[in-house]
């Protein structure tokens, strides 16, 4: 009988929950209060019963506040003032209460004071942006701990050099919170509950007359903290400061996919993702099992995915500052077309990209004719001209060189094409043949010819010619005999490329990228730097290849907005966020390559016990002082101290914000300095005039100590790094 009663209660509870969800769905439309004061209240949030999804109820206080003020009461019964709600970011900004601490006479023996910062229900501490712990006080340290093991997440120390109240704050009145009377540190892991510990660093040695010893406040905030010491000296502490919470739909049975390191999960939907153009994404707790999901509008759409028809098409043509188009822009559902005006050809997405010359492809009757202005002179050159002096190669020659593209001549097989080895006029060549015929393949062909015909660098693969007689033109390159860096690095067994070779290869690739960014006739961004696009010749000299995704930019530009292209694991998260390609996007990919060379771990495919990808795991172990736990054992044996310097540079290159990363020129000089100390360039490849001295080199990237401290608190969190591997390109 008791079992029957239990089952009956469970059924009633389930039915009640379903009715609540149904009522909330019905209330997501009209008849519900959708603002309080100047704060918008979009569904799944709501004020009245039946107007919100369970757990997202808010209170609008009309009686005690003018204008009316919105409050959130979490599952623990704590009330927080709501300052802003964002549906696209799945965040809600609240006023976070001050964490006060005072060491009174009755607890003067205590050296640690513990407080709790907590939100419950569907809320957690957001990573967009990262919140910061701020400590205002003297001779004290604040530790923020969280997770099932109460792990230390963030920490900072505030000191006052003198106990004299009249002098301790001199020089600290510029609003900065840098350690004198005030300190701050980022909180990089997201939890719903933290233990905030205040440590007394002076203890019983403090003179009884000290005005502010172990007496002050801590805050968790989401914005730069404006420190006014004289105000705080008088005890004028704000009672609350803004902090950012994330939120999700609680659903322990969710089948929504999580972002992975290997590939983008197929878009899926869930009950609360009600708009047609929407999809869901799973949310996991600290134990890495799915506990719910968030809804998002599909690419090219914006709005509220939680309500019917809430996601609507973005008219990109009305926002040229975001979606750049310098020709005729036409909006489409979920995207837009940008074409050159009639009578012009070229790339309308870049300034002056459209010209009156008929440069491009003309398709007629199923046949293809390539008219490249810069290649026209080569077409007129006789077939009897020496092979090295001509650009246009016939299909007959290529068929003869490859025995009619015999499978035994294949030396490479990628996602877009097959590479064959052949011999033309006693020259060993590599011939790239596309597998499929689509406009993108043709565009990439034109792009690669245009770029490589203008590039001349010993560490960039040389384009020898092209064939225009096939449906998709064929490219002919110098043959690089030793395959890809990826193949040499990721071999079975404990021994791979020597550390000296790896270090030299990093210098050579850095030189090539530095040349492309700053020494070519027009700056070129490669956009797909990875170990499988680095070829090695007989002497293991590096050759950067595959320029199909690369982009020219005007010499007076710093970046361009493009459709996202690149390889998961190497892709710059800021480029993914914004679609804006800059030279720092290549710097991020190069930083991943450095980590790959140090560890022999694959950015795509290798995962770690904590679910991190290579970049996030590398940053974590480095910040904990355990770098050599992840370094390749072969590197540890052959290393003379350079690995730590290269690792430091790798972390600088993969900082989340592009402006915080070094330039490729700076990276090149830093690596040359490291390699030259090891004597790798005694043959004269690097001159003393090109190498910075120790003091100069130290300005190119942060010190090891600085990285170790900053990596714990900077904004390059696991969640941000994962954005660089959320979608396959």
């Amino acid at each position: 009988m008791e079992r029957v009663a239990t089952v009956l209660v469970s059924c009633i509870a389930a039915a009640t929950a379903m009715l609540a969800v149904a009522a909330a769905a019905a209330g997501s439309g009209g008849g519900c209060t959708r603002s309080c004061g100047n704060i918008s209240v979009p569904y799944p949030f709501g004020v009245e019963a039946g107007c919100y999804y369970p757990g997202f109820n808010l209170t609008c206080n009309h009686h005690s506040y003018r204008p009316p003020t919105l409050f959130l009461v979490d599952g623990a019964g704590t009330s927080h003032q709501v300052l802003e709600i964002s549906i696209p970011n799945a965040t809600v900004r609240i006023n976070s209460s001050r964490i006060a601490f005072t060491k009174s006479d009755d607890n003067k023996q205590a050296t640690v004071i513990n407080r709790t910062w907590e939100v419950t229900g569907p809320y957690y501490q957001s990573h967009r942006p990262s919140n910061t712990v701020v400590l205002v006080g003297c001779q004290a340290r604040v530790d923020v701990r969280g997770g099932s093991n109460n792990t230390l997440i963030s920490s900072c120390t505030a000191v006052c050099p003198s106990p004299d109240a009249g002098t301790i704050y001199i020089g600290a009145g510029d609003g900065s919170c840098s350690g004198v009377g005030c300190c701050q540190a980022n909180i990089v892991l997201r939890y719903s509950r933290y233990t905030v510990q205040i440590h007394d660093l002076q203890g019983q040695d403090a003179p009884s007359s000290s005005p502010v010893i172990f007496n002050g406040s801590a805050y968790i905030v989401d914005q730069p903290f404006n420190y006014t010491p004289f105000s705080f000296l008088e005890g004028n502490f704000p009672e609350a400061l803004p902090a950012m919470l994330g939120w999700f739909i609680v659903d322990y049975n969710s089948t929504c996919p999580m972002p992975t390191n290997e590939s983008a999960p197929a878009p899926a939907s869930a009950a609360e993702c009600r708009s047609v153009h929407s999809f869901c994404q799973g949310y996991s707790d600290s134990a890495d099992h799915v506990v719910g999901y968030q809804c998002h509008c599909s690419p090219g759409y914006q709005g509220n995915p939680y309500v019917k028809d809430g996601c609507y098409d973005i008219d990109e043509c009305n926002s040229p500052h975001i979606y750049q188009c310098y020709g005729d822009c036409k909006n489409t559902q979920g995207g837009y077309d940008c074409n050159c005006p009639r009578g012009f050809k070229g790339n309308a997405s870049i300034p002056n990209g459209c010209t009156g010359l008929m440069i491009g492809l003309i398709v007629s009757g199923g046949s293809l004719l390539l008219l490249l202005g810069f290649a026209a002179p080569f077409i007129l050159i006789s077939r009897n001209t020496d092979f090295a002096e001509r650009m246009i190669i016939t299909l007959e020659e290529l068929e003869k060189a490859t025995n009619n593209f015999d499978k035994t001549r294949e030396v490479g097989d990628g996602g877009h094409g097959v590479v064959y080895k052949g011999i033309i006029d006693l020259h060993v060549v590599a011939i790239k043949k596309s597998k499929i015929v689509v406009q993108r393949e043709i565009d990439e062909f034109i792009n690669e010819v245009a770029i490589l015909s203008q590039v001349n660098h010993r560490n960039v693969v040389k384009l020898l010619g092209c064939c225009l007689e096939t449906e998709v033109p064929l490219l002919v390159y110098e043959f690089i005999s030793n395959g890809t860096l990826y193949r040499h690095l990721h071999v079975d067994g404990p021994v791979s490329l020597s550390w000296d070779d790896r270090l030299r290869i990093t210098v050579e690739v850095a030189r090539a990228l530095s040349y492309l960014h700053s020494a070519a006739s027009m700056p070129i961004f490669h956009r797909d730097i990875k170990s499988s696009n680095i070829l090695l010749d007989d002497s293991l000299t590096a050759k950067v290849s595959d320029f199909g995704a690369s982009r020219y930019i005007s010499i007076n530009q710093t970046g361009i907005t493009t459709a996202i292209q690149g390889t998961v694991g190497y892709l710059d998260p800021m480029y993914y966020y914004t679609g804006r390609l800059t030279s720092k996007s290549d710097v991020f990919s190069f930083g991943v390559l450095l980590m790959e060379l140090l560890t022999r771990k694959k950015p795509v495919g290798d995962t770690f016990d904590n679910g991190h990808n290579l970049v996030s795991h590398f940053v974590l172990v480095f910040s904990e002082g355990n770098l050599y736990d992840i370094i390749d054992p072969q590197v540890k044996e052959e290393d003379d101290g350079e690995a730590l310097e290269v690792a430091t540079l790798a972390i600088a290159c993969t900082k989340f914000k592009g402006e915080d990363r070094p330039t490729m020129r700076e990276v090149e000089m830093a690596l040359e300095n490291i390699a030259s100390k090891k004597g790798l360039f005694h043959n004269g490849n690097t001159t003393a005039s090109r190498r910075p001295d120790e003091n100069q080199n130290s300005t190119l990237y942060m010190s090891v100590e600085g990285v170790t401290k900053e990596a714990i608190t900077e904004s390059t969190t696991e969640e941000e790094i994962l954005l660089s591997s959320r979608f396959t390109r």
Side-chain angles (χ1 to χ4, degrees):
M1 189 68 181
E2 182 179 358
R3 171 173 163 74
V4 173
T6 301
V7 172
L8 182 59
V9 169
S10 299
C11 291
I12 293 174
T16 302
M18 292 176 64
L19 287 172
V21 172
S28 63
C32 297
T33 298
R34 289 296 165 212
S35 66
C36 178
N38 59 352
I39 308 297
S40 175
V41 185
Y43 186 81
F45 295 88
V47 176
E48 299 90 354
C51 291
Y52 53 81
Y53 187 81
F56 288 83
N57 51 303
L58 305 176
T59 299
C60 185
N61 191 324
H62 297 266
H63 305 292
S64 305
Y65 298 90
R66 290 291 182 271
T69 302
L70 193 62
F71 289 91
L72 175 160
V73 180
D74 65 23
T78 305
S79 180
H80 311 272
Q81 182 185 351
V82 175
L83 305 176
E84 179 186 6
I85 298 172
S86 172
I87 296 296
N89 295 328
T91 57
V92 56
R93 199 170 190 222
I94 64 168
N95 252 347
S96 177
S97 299
R98 173 169 75 110
I99 304 170
F101 57 91
T102 302
K103 185 175 177 181
S104 58
D105 291 340
D106 57 354
N107 71 341
K108 62 184 178 181
Q109 298 299 321
T111 58
V112 180
I113 295 176
N114 289 283
R115 297 286 188 267
T116 299
W117 187 93
E118 181 176 16
V119 289
T120 61
Y123 303 103
Y124 61 91
Q125 190 267 140
S126 176
H127 61 284
R128 290 186 297 186
S130 289
N131 285 325
T132 300
V133 61
V134 173
L135 171 66
V136 181
C138 291
Q139 276 66 15
R141 185 182 82 236
V142 61
D143 291 344
V144 178
R145 296 179 176 272
S148 57
N149 298 322
N150 211 29
T151 303
L152 180 63
I153 295 172
S154 192
S155 179
C156 75
T157 300
V159 299
C160 300
S162 166
D164 182 354
T167 61
I168 59 175
Y169 293 105
I170 290 179
D174 59 355
S176 63
C177 182
S178 56
V180 178
C182 175
C183 71
Q184 57 187 339
N186 285 0
I187 302 172
V188 299
L189 295 179
R190 58 184 190 187
Y191 294 109
S192 58
R193 184 181 187 277
Y194 298 95
T195 298
V196 181
Q197 296 178 331
I198 313 296
H199 299 256
D200 180 8
L201 300 184
Q202 188 155 328
Q204 299 183 43
D205 296 332
S208 59
S209 60
S210 284
V212 279
I213 300 297
F214 210 48
N215 177 24
S217 294
Y219 300 89
I220 291 181
V221 300
D222 71 339
Q223 59 185 9
F225 185 74
N226 186 24
Y227 174 50
T228 52
F230 299 104
S231 174
F232 288 116
L233 192 64
E234 297 169 358
N236 297 324
F237 297 99
E239 288 305 313
L241 290 173
M244 193 71 77
L245 305 181
W247 49 267
F248 63 100
I249 300 295
V250 180
D251 182 357
Y252 291 93
N253 297 316
S254 171
T255 58
C256 297
M258 292 292 295
T260 67
N261 295 331
E262 296 184 7
S263 62
S269 191
E272 285 305 305
C273 302
R274 299 182 179 278
S275 183
V276 174
H277 299 288
S278 68
F279 65 96
C280 70
Q281 190 171 81
Y283 174 83
S284 65
D285 63 8
S286 56
D288 281 337
H289 65 273
V290 176
V291 295
Y293 59 87
Q294 295 170 340
C295 299
H296 302 278
C297 290
S298 302
Y301 294 85
Q302 63 186 358
N304 188 341
Y306 296 93
V307 300
K308 184 180 179 181
D309 300 325
C311 294
Y312 54 91
D313 176 59
I314 299 171
D315 189 345
E316 291 87 353
C317 299
N318 287 336
S319 303
H321 59 292
I322 301 176
Y323 308 96
Q324 295 184 7
C325 181
Y326 299 90
D328 294 332
C329 183
K330 179 181 179 182
N331 184 56
T332 62
Q333 281 295 312
Y336 69 108
D337 293 330
C338 182
N339 299 306
C340 290
R342 186 174 181 179
F344 290 80
K345 296 290 182 180
N347 185 350
S349 64
I350 61 175
N352 304 314
C354 297
T355 66
L357 296 176
M358 298 301 289
I359 299 176
L361 296 174
I362 302 174
V363 181
S364 177
S367 64
L368 178 69
L369 175 63
L370 177 66
L371 297 176
L372 292 170
F374 62 83
F378 296 101
I379 300 176
L380 305 177
I381 295 176
S382 167
R383 284 186 53 189
N384 296 325
T385 304
D386 182 81
F387 172 72
E389 298 178 3
R390 60 193 173 96
M391 188 80 174
I392 303 302
I393 304 167
T394 67
L395 179 60
E396 179 183 357
E397 288 178 282
L398 296 185
E399 288 175 338
K400 182 179 179 180
T402 60
N403 193 20
N404 202 25
F405 297 101
D406 189 276
K407 194 169 182 63
T408 60
R409 298 293 184 94
E410 291 183 12
V411 292
D413 187 359
H416 296 294
V418 181
V419 179
Y420 296 86
K421 180 180 179 180
I423 299 177
I424 303 177
D425 296 348
L426 301 182
H427 291 270
V428 182
V429 298
I431 303 158
K432 182 192 285 187
K433 181 180 182 183
S434 180
K435 286 181 178 179
I436 53 179
V437 182
V438 294
Q439 185 62 43
R440 177 176 172 181
E441 300 293 336
I442 298 171
D443 293 343
E444 289 185 359
F445 163 83
I446 297 173
N447 196 61
E448 188 151 9
V449 172
I451 286 178
L452 286 181
S453 64
Q454 306 297 313
V455 170
N456 182 21
H457 192 277
R458 70 187 303 268
N459 297 119
V460 175
V461 69
K462 184 178 294 184
L463 177 68
L464 301 177
C466 57
C467 175
L468 310 179
E469 301 175 32
T470 55
E471 197 168 8
V472 174
L474 307 176
L475 300 182
V476 182
Y477 304 88
E478 62 174 325
F479 183 75
I480 309 300
S481 57
N482 238 327
T484 67
L485 173 59
Y486 180 94
R487 182 174 67 83
H488 282 268
L489 195 60
H490 300 294
V491 295
D492 294 332
V495 179
S496 177
L497 288 169
S498 71
W499 172 234
D500 282 1
D501 281 332
R502 296 187 211 183
L503 186 55
R504 176 184 47 76
I505 287 167
T506 66
V507 176
E508 292 170 345
V509 176
R511 286 174 178 169
L513 291 176
S514 178
Y515 164 84
L516 293 171
H517 288 184
S518 56
S521 57
M522 287 185 67
I524 298 168
F525 300 159
H526 187 280
R527 202 157 54 154
D528 199 15
I529 290 298
K530 56 184 176 181
S531 59
S532 57
N533 279 344
I534 309 299
L535 303 179
L536 301 178
D537 67 9
D538 288 335
S539 61
L540 296 181
T541 298
K543 305 275 188 177
V544 178
S545 70
D546 201 343
F547 285 77
S550 303
R551 291 299 301 266
Y552 274 122
I553 70 160
S554 299
I555 202 162
N556 60 346
Q557 285 184 291
T558 58
I560 53 175
T561 301
T562 74
I564 310 301
Q565 276 189 260
T567 298
V568 60
Y570 297 88
L571 187 63
D572 170 18
M574 283 304 293
Y575 174 38
Y576 172 77
Y577 266 145
T578 64
R580 184 164 180 78
L581 177 70
T582 72
S583 61
K584 299 300 183 71
S585 302
D586 281 351
V587 173
F588 183 93
S589 301
F590 183 79
V592 180
L593 181 66
L594 291 180
M595 295 179 182
E596 187 178 0
L597 286 164
L598 284 164
T599 64
R600 278 185 66 194
K601 301 293 185 184
K602 302 173 185 176
V604 183
D606 282 342
T607 54
F608 304 90
D609 292 341
N610 52 15
H612 291 180
N613 63 3
L614 175 59
V615 176
S616 57
H617 186 70
F618 193 96
V619 171
L620 178 63
V621 297
F622 190 97
S623 68
E624 294 173 343
N626 299 323
L627 173 66
Y628 284 88
D629 289 350
I630 193 176
I631 292 296
D632 178 13
Q634 180 184 349
V635 173
K636 287 191 280 190
E637 287 184 14
E638 301 173 7
D639 172 41
D640 292 324
E642 311 85 20
L644 185 59
E645 294 183 79
V646 175
T648 302
L649 185 60
I651 289 181
C653 290
T654 53
K655 281 181 168 293
F656 182 66
K657 295 181 179 178
E659 59 266 27
D660 294 337
R661 303 170 198 156
T663 65
M664 278 311 307
R665 175 62 177 146
E666 291 171 333
V667 172
E668 175 194 10
M669 291 194 296
L671 285 170
E672 284 187 343
N673 183 269
I674 295 169
S676 63
K677 289 187 292 185
K678 197 172 176 62
L680 295 184
F681 298 110
H682 57 275
N683 60 357
N685 286 345
T686 303
T687 62
S689 63
R690 290 195 65 189
R691 296 196 302 268
D693 58 27
E694 294 292 338
N695 292 332
Q696 182 183 0
N697 192 52
S698 66
T699 67
L700 301 180
Y701 52 90
M702 65 191 67
S703 68
V704 173
E705 179 183 7
V707 172
T708 304
K709 291 177 180 178
E710 186 179 2
I712 300 175
T713 58
E714 69 170 14
S715 63
T716 310
T717 66
E718 174 190 1
E719 291 77 15
E720 291 167 335
I721 289 295
L722 282 176
L723 283 173
S724 71
S725 58
R726 181 169 291 174
F727 294 103
T728 302
R729 299 290 171 191

PDB file of all heavy atoms in Angstrom, residues 40-55:
ATOM      1  N   SER A  40      13.608  44.954 -18.873  1.00  0.00           N
ATOM      2  CA  SER A  40      12.776  44.052 -19.662  1.00  0.00           C
ATOM      3  C   SER A  40      12.711  42.683 -18.987  1.00  0.00           C
ATOM      4  O   SER A  40      13.697  42.221 -18.405  1.00  0.00           O
ATOM      5  CB  SER A  40      13.361  43.916 -21.074  1.00  0.00           C
ATOM      6  OG  SER A  40      12.633  42.968 -21.820  1.00  0.00           O
ATOM      7  N   VAL A  41      11.549  42.038 -19.072  1.00  0.00           N
ATOM      8  CA  VAL A  41      11.347  40.723 -18.442  1.00  0.00           C
ATOM      9  C   VAL A  41      10.886  39.741 -19.521  1.00  0.00           C
ATOM     10  O   VAL A  41       9.696  39.446 -19.658  1.00  0.00           O
ATOM     11  CB  VAL A  41      10.312  40.791 -17.304  1.00  0.00           C
ATOM     12  CG1 VAL A  41      10.220  39.440 -16.587  1.00  0.00           C
ATOM     13  CG2 VAL A  41      10.648  41.900 -16.310  1.00  0.00           C
ATOM     14  N   PRO A  42      11.801  39.214 -20.340  1.00  0.00           N
ATOM     15  CA  PRO A  42      11.406  38.289 -21.407  1.00  0.00           C
ATOM     16  C   PRO A  42      11.205  36.872 -20.865  1.00  0.00           C
ATOM     17  O   PRO A  42      11.804  36.482 -19.862  1.00  0.00           O
ATOM     18  CB  PRO A  42      12.607  38.343 -22.362  1.00  0.00           C
ATOM     19  CG  PRO A  42      13.771  38.619 -21.455  1.00  0.00           C
ATOM     20  CD  PRO A  42      13.250  39.510 -20.358  1.00  0.00           C
ATOM     21  N   TYR A  43      10.336  36.101 -21.519  1.00  0.00           N
ATOM     22  CA  TYR A  43      10.196  34.694 -21.192  1.00  0.00           C
ATOM     23  C   TYR A  43      11.522  33.990 -21.531  1.00  0.00           C
ATOM     24  O   TYR A  43      12.166  34.353 -22.506  1.00  0.00           O
ATOM     25  CB  TYR A  43       9.055  34.085 -22.019  1.00  0.00           C
ATOM     26  CG  TYR A  43       8.730  32.662 -21.645  1.00  0.00           C
ATOM     27  CD1 TYR A  43       7.934  32.382 -20.550  1.00  0.00           C
ATOM     28  CD2 TYR A  43       9.253  31.600 -22.368  1.00  0.00           C
ATOM     29  CE1 TYR A  43       7.641  31.071 -20.199  1.00  0.00           C
ATOM     30  CE2 TYR A  43       8.978  30.294 -22.025  1.00  0.00           C
ATOM     31  CZ  TYR A  43       8.178  30.036 -20.924  1.00  0.00           C
ATOM     32  OH  TYR A  43       7.902  28.735 -20.574  1.00  0.00           O
ATOM     33  N   PRO A  44      12.004  33.044 -20.699  1.00  0.00           N
ATOM     34  CA  PRO A  44      11.289  32.243 -19.688  1.00  0.00           C
ATOM     35  C   PRO A  44      11.117  32.913 -18.333  1.00  0.00           C
ATOM     36  O   PRO A  44      10.621  32.282 -17.403  1.00  0.00           O
ATOM     37  CB  PRO A  44      12.181  31.001 -19.567  1.00  0.00           C
ATOM     38  CG  PRO A  44      13.554  31.492 -19.866  1.00  0.00           C
ATOM     39  CD  PRO A  44      13.376  32.528 -20.932  1.00  0.00           C
ATOM     40  N   PHE A  45      11.554  34.168 -18.166  1.00  0.00           N
ATOM     41  CA  PHE A  45      11.326  34.884 -16.920  1.00  0.00           C
ATOM     42  C   PHE A  45       9.906  35.446 -16.908  1.00  0.00           C
ATOM     43  O   PHE A  45       9.291  35.653 -17.950  1.00  0.00           O
ATOM     44  CB  PHE A  45      12.339  36.025 -16.759  1.00  0.00           C
ATOM     45  CG  PHE A  45      13.758  35.552 -16.613  1.00  0.00           C
ATOM     46  CD1 PHE A  45      14.561  35.333 -17.721  1.00  0.00           C
ATOM     47  CD2 PHE A  45      14.298  35.311 -15.359  1.00  0.00           C
ATOM     48  CE1 PHE A  45      15.867  34.898 -17.596  1.00  0.00           C
ATOM     49  CE2 PHE A  45      15.601  34.880 -15.214  1.00  0.00           C
ATOM     50  CZ  PHE A  45      16.389  34.671 -16.340  1.00  0.00           C
ATOM     51  N   GLY A  46       9.410  35.712 -15.735  1.00  0.00           N
ATOM     52  CA  GLY A  46       8.093  36.300 -15.615  1.00  0.00           C
ATOM     53  C   GLY A  46       7.790  36.688 -14.188  1.00  0.00           C
ATOM     54  O   GLY A  46       8.496  36.287 -13.250  1.00  0.00           O
ATOM     55  N   VAL A  47       6.727  37.465 -14.025  1.00  0.00           N
ATOM     56  CA  VAL A  47       6.337  37.968 -12.702  1.00  0.00           C
ATOM     57  C   VAL A  47       5.097  37.238 -12.192  1.00  0.00           C
ATOM     58  O   VAL A  47       5.093  36.703 -11.078  1.00  0.00           O
ATOM     59  CB  VAL A  47       6.090  39.493 -12.756  1.00  0.00           C
ATOM     60  CG1 VAL A  47       5.578  40.002 -11.412  1.00  0.00           C
ATOM     61  CG2 VAL A  47       7.360  40.234 -13.173  1.00  0.00           C
ATOM     62  N   GLU A  48       4.049  37.201 -13.008  1.00  0.00           N
ATOM     63  CA  GLU A  48       2.807  36.570 -12.569  1.00  0.00           C
ATOM     64  C   GLU A  48       2.877  35.049 -12.750  1.00  0.00           C
ATOM     65  O   GLU A  48       3.611  34.541 -13.600  1.00  0.00           O
ATOM     66  CB  GLU A  48       1.621  37.110 -13.360  1.00  0.00           C
ATOM     67  CG  GLU A  48       1.397  38.602 -13.192  1.00  0.00           C
ATOM     68  CD  GLU A  48       2.141  39.420 -14.221  1.00  0.00           C
ATOM     69  OE1 GLU A  48       2.933  38.824 -15.007  1.00  0.00           O
ATOM     70  OE2 GLU A  48       1.957  40.648 -14.245  1.00  0.00           O
ATOM     71  N   ALA A  49       2.095  34.340 -11.959  1.00  0.00           N
ATOM     72  CA  ALA A  49       1.984  32.888 -12.100  1.00  0.00           C
ATOM     73  C   ALA A  49       1.508  32.549 -13.505  1.00  0.00           C
ATOM     74  O   ALA A  49       0.602  33.197 -14.043  1.00  0.00           O
ATOM     75  CB  ALA A  49       1.013  32.322 -11.062  1.00  0.00           C
ATOM     76  N   GLY A  50       2.130  31.540 -14.116  1.00  0.00           N
ATOM     77  CA  GLY A  50       1.763  31.135 -15.459  1.00  0.00           C
ATOM     78  C   GLY A  50       2.478  31.908 -16.547  1.00  0.00           C
ATOM     79  O   GLY A  50       2.248  31.655 -17.720  1.00  0.00           O
ATOM     80  N   CYS A  51       3.318  32.846 -16.161  1.00  0.00           N
ATOM     81  CA  CYS A  51       4.026  33.664 -17.146  1.00  0.00           C
ATOM     82  C   CYS A  51       5.514  33.354 -17.213  1.00  0.00           C
ATOM     83  O   CYS A  51       6.250  34.040 -17.910  1.00  0.00           O
ATOM     84  CB  CYS A  51       3.838  35.159 -16.830  1.00  0.00           C
ATOM     85  SG  CYS A  51       2.155  35.760 -17.108  1.00  0.00           S
ATOM     86  N   TYR A  52       5.959  32.358 -16.474  1.00  0.00           N
ATOM     87  CA  TYR A  52       7.382  32.044 -16.460  1.00  0.00           C
ATOM     88  C   TYR A  52       7.577  30.529 -16.449  1.00  0.00           C
ATOM     89  O   TYR A  52       6.671  29.773 -16.086  1.00  0.00           O
ATOM     90  CB  TYR A  52       8.073  32.664 -15.239  1.00  0.00           C
ATOM     91  CG  TYR A  52       7.427  32.332 -13.916  1.00  0.00           C
ATOM     92  CD1 TYR A  52       7.664  31.115 -13.261  1.00  0.00           C
ATOM     93  CD2 TYR A  52       6.562  33.254 -13.303  1.00  0.00           C
ATOM     94  CE1 TYR A  52       7.065  30.812 -12.054  1.00  0.00           C
ATOM     95  CE2 TYR A  52       5.953  32.949 -12.093  1.00  0.00           C
ATOM     96  CZ  TYR A  52       6.215  31.738 -11.470  1.00  0.00           C
ATOM     97  OH  TYR A  52       5.616  31.434 -10.272  1.00  0.00           O
ATOM     98  N   TYR A  53       8.752  30.121 -16.864  1.00  0.00           N
ATOM     99  CA  TYR A  53       9.124  28.714 -16.752  1.00  0.00           C
ATOM    100  C   TYR A  53       9.478  28.443 -15.285  1.00  0.00           C
ATOM    101  O   TYR A  53      10.049  29.316 -14.614  1.00  0.00           O
ATOM    102  CB  TYR A  53      10.328  28.416 -17.660  1.00  0.00           C
ATOM    103  CG  TYR A  53      10.679  26.952 -17.725  1.00  0.00           C
ATOM    104  CD1 TYR A  53       9.988  26.087 -18.559  1.00  0.00           C
ATOM    105  CD2 TYR A  53      11.705  26.432 -16.936  1.00  0.00           C
ATOM    106  CE1 TYR A  53      10.307  24.729 -18.619  1.00  0.00           C
ATOM    107  CE2 TYR A  53      12.029  25.089 -16.983  1.00  0.00           C
ATOM    108  CZ  TYR A  53      11.323  24.238 -17.822  1.00  0.00           C
ATOM    109  OH  TYR A  53      11.629  22.904 -17.868  1.00  0.00           O
ATOM    110  N   PRO A  54       9.164  27.256 -14.763  1.00  0.00           N
ATOM    111  CA  PRO A  54       9.429  26.986 -13.340  1.00  0.00           C
ATOM    112  C   PRO A  54      10.873  27.297 -12.964  1.00  0.00           C
ATOM    113  O   PRO A  54      11.813  26.867 -13.618  1.00  0.00           O
ATOM    114  CB  PRO A  54       9.145  25.479 -13.229  1.00  0.00           C
ATOM    115  CG  PRO A  54       8.106  25.222 -14.268  1.00  0.00           C
ATOM    116  CD  PRO A  54       8.449  26.123 -15.415  1.00  0.00           C
ATOM    117  N   GLY A  55      11.029  28.079 -11.884  1.00  0.00           N
ATOM    118  CA  GLY A  55      12.345  28.469 -11.398  1.00  0.00           C
ATOM    119  C   GLY A  55      12.785  29.839 -11.854  1.00  0.00           C
ATOM    120  O   GLY A  55      13.764  30.385 -11.352  1.00  0.00           O
TER     121      GLY A  55
END
